[in-house]
Amino acid sequence: MSIDPRVALGSLTAALEEHLVAAASRRGDDDPAVEAAFFAVADAFEAYSDALYDAYGEELPLDLVDSDDDEDDEDEDQDDEDEDQDEDDDRDEE
């Protein structure tokens, strides 16, 4: 059973507000309150996205970014840069 999109939107709005409060009162780089609020926003966003799709077949124009995907992308970018540098080095040697 899916939830009403309005209820899910209210939860998302509340999660965003809680994240703002946590960020504004941050106590260091690894503040657990900010991290918890971050994940609460992500969960509320997914719940709203699912509820909106289930009720109306509508998708949001936003996607959540998975931090693991970011790390993979950064690794791929570095690999591409390394390959480009190797090709440049090969040309210089010729």
Side-chain angles (χ1 to χ4, degrees), residues 5-6 18 25 28 30 32 39 42 45 56 65 69 78 83 87 90 94:
R6 291 184 192 278
E18 289 175 22
S25 60
D30 296 326
F39 289 114
F45 177 85
Y56 304 113
V65 176
D69 288 345
Q78 185 61 45
E83 288 175 12
E87 289 174 7
D90 290 343
E94 292 176 355

Side-chain angles (χ1 to χ4, degrees), residues 1 3 13 16-17 22 24-25 37 39 41 44 48 56-57 59 65-67 69 72 74 77 86 88 93:
M1 178 176 154
I3 61 173
T13 302
L16 287 166
E17 289 175 358
S25 60
F39 289 114
V41 169
Y48 173 62
Y56 304 113
E59 293 188 16
V65 176
D66 186 3
S67 61
D69 288 345
D72 291 344
E74 289 174 9
D77 290 344
D86 289 344
D88 289 343
E93 291 174 4

Side-chain angles (χ1 to χ4, degrees), residues 6-74:
R6 291 184 192 278
V7 172
L9 178 59
S11 296
L12 175 57
T13 302
L16 287 166
E17 289 175 358
E18 289 175 22
H19 184 267
L20 175 60
V21 170
S25 60
R26 176 185 298 270
R27 294 184 184 90
D29 290 340
D30 296 326
D31 189 330
V34 176
E35 184 176 345
F38 173 91
F39 289 114
V41 169
D43 291 344
F45 177 85
E46 285 195 18
Y48 173 62
S49 180
D50 291 346
L52 187 65
Y53 187 81
D54 290 347
Y56 304 113
E58 186 65 32
E59 293 188 16
L60 293 170
L62 308 169
D63 288 322
L64 288 179
V65 176
D66 186 3
S67 61
D68 290 339
D69 288 345
D70 283 348
E71 291 171 7
D72 291 344
D73 290 345
E74 289 174 9

